[in-house]
Amino acid sequence: MSTPATKGRTRPDTRAILRVSTIIESVGILCALGVWLSGGMTVHGPKNNFGWLVLIIALGCIPTGTFFLLLGIAKWFGDRNRTD
């Protein structure tokens, strides 16, 4: 049985969501930077296979990481007011 959270304390699940979402968002941003480092974008997309790979990863990680980061921030604000 876990100890009850006190007011103003972040719960372990909130910390886990914030940690994982930050990692996912960071990977997405690094992959977006990788598209630029691999030669950038043309009218038809990235210039090489590495550019396509990091573009697909960035397009998956950035929206997912943003959604979960917003969820974690909302939970963090909720934990601040929770007293149980």
Side-chain angles (χ1 to χ4, degrees), residues 13-83:
D13 60 336
T14 305
R15 282 192 295 268
I17 290 171
L18 287 170
R19 181 176 47 246
V20 171
S21 65
T22 303
I23 292 169
I24 292 171
E25 189 74 24
S26 300
V27 168
I29 291 170
L30 287 174
C31 286
L33 182 64
V35 172
W36 179 71
L37 291 175
S38 71
M41 296 282 287
T42 64
V43 176
H44 302 288
K47 294 182 178 184
N48 53 29
N49 288 336
F50 177 73
W52 279 105
L53 176 66
V54 293
L55 176 66
I56 296 301
I57 294 171
L59 288 175
C61 288
I62 291 174
T64 306
T66 301
F67 173 74
F68 282 113
L69 193 59
L70 290 174
L71 174 70
I73 290 169
K75 276 187 62 58
W76 179 69
F77 276 116
D79 287 350
R80 290 177 49 206
N81 297 328
R82 197 169 185 144
T83 57

